[in-house]
Amino acid sequence: MRGLWAARVCLVLLAAELGARHPAAGGCLGHCCPGTDHACTATDWRMDRVYGTCYCDETCTRTRDCCFDYPTMCPAQSCVVSQWSYWSGCVQQCRPAIRVRRRHVDQEARNGGHACPPLEERAGCMDFLGHQGAHCAQTQGPALITSAEYGRGRPKRDLYGDPLDPGFCVEFRMEWLSSQCAVESRPHARWMQYLREGYTVCVTCEPPAMRNHSLGCQGDGAASDRDTLLQWQAVGNARCRGTWRKVERRERCACPQVHSFVFT
């Protein structure tokens, strides 16, 4: 019995080897199908050396049931994109805004090649000149933020023992942030790793960051509506920065600790 079983194994291996060396007419020659096509089949040797129904559509590279000649007859072609365009100007003057750059597809991916990368990038910006070339009458820089832990060490009373203004809280929805935030690993700056696009964060405006003449903090969005894109920057790492939109102003912050910050 063992001798008979070994002979059968040898015959199967020999047939697979001959099939690989002498492609049958039923392979992928002449038809390579995009996407998932259950009708794009042949009866031939598969790439896993099993004889029977095999496929010539793009999905077969993931399901591992391609005909043996698929890589040769249907070579993978990755997406090819153009170079980035120049950055656009800020979409608005005299206030935090965004700029955009784009690229286009020169060649679509085929036969399981790598898909196209993002075709648009956005970044925060701010122009300090109006449409007529004059300097903006009033400008404001990005909101400078740090961990809420820093705020705990701030004085709560003035030199005369009177309580300071308790300030207020502003909720923002994070729209974009630079990649440098996630890789920050210094012990005093690890709070930057908790910044996430799409999350709501709370930022407290309190003395001494609160400006006495306006009772507000730089970049708190007091004069902005919900559609305005505002800029922020992390204190301690100027490369950790991004944009957000104001959600609402509240008396007290109610976000989780890891998403709570203070203006500086």
Side-chain angles (χ1 to χ4, degrees):
M1 285 296 291
R2 292 187 180 181
L4 180 60
W5 180 81
R8 288 179 177 175
V9 171
C10 290
L11 287 175
V12 171
L13 294 176
L14 178 61
E17 184 68 22
L18 290 174
R21 293 183 180 180
H22 303 285
C28 294
L29 180 65
H31 65 291
C32 300
C33 306
T36 301
D37 187 344
H38 296 294
C40 192
T41 64
T43 301
D44 210 323
W45 291 99
R46 296 192 334 198
M47 294 176 66
D48 57 3
R49 295 180 179 273
V50 174
Y51 188 84
T53 300
C54 56
Y55 292 82
C56 299
D57 61 350
E58 288 181 320
T59 307
C60 77
T61 58
R62 297 196 300 272
T63 55
R64 299 183 183 278
D65 51 9
C66 301
C67 296
F68 73 93
D69 62 347
Y70 181 82
T72 303
M73 296 296 104
C74 311
Q77 298 180 9
S78 297
C79 175
V80 178
V81 297
S82 66
Q83 296 293 322
W84 286 110
S85 67
Y86 292 107
W87 282 106
S88 69
C90 286
V91 297
Q92 293 175 306
Q93 283 71 42
C94 299
R95 60 192 305 179
I98 60 170
R99 54 180 179 167
V100 181
R101 66 175 183 175
R102 297 182 176 89
R103 54 188 174 185
H104 60 266
V105 176
D106 289 334
Q107 174 183 288
E108 294 284 355
R110 296 181 59 188
N111 304 328
H114 293 297
C116 296
L119 302 178
E120 181 179 287
E121 281 190 348
R122 296 188 176 195
C125 62
M126 183 166 178
D127 278 346
F128 293 91
L129 293 177
H131 290 289
Q132 306 301 322
H135 285 277
C136 302
Q138 293 182 345
T139 62
Q140 65 179 44
L144 303 177
I145 64 171
T146 190
S147 169
E149 290 287 336
Y150 179 82
R152 294 182 180 180
R154 285 174 165 171
K156 306 303 179 185
R157 296 180 177 274
D158 62 17
L159 296 176
Y160 302 99
D162 296 324
L164 295 172
D165 191 320
F168 55 90
C169 176
V170 186
E171 291 185 358
F172 297 95
R173 185 183 185 278
M174 192 69 67
E175 296 290 338
W176 171 84
L177 69 157
S178 62
S179 59
Q180 285 78 10
C181 302
V183 299
E184 180 58 80
S185 59
R186 292 176 295 171
H188 67 279
R190 287 177 182 165
W191 60 270
M192 301 178 194
Q193 298 178 3
Y194 296 102
L195 296 165
R196 294 287 189 276
E197 291 182 7
Y199 279 42
T200 296
V201 299
C202 295
V203 189
T204 300
C205 177
E206 60 186 6
M210 181 182 290
R211 297 167 296 185
N212 293 330
H213 66 282
S214 65
L215 296 180
C217 293
Q218 177 175 307
D220 63 11
S224 305
D225 55 33
R226 294 189 177 188
D227 294 328
T228 302
L229 201 62
L230 304 170
Q231 291 181 318
W232 60 266
Q233 179 179 307
V235 175
N237 183 354
R239 295 184 299 173
C240 177
R241 54 190 176 81
T243 57
W244 56 22
R245 298 182 196 274
K246 184 181 70 174
V247 177
E248 64 177 325
R249 172 172 165 167
R250 305 167 61 99
E251 288 187 9
R252 293 289 181 268
C253 289
C255 292
Q257 183 64 26
V258 293
H259 296 146
S260 298
F261 310 97
V262 293
F263 291 100
T264 61

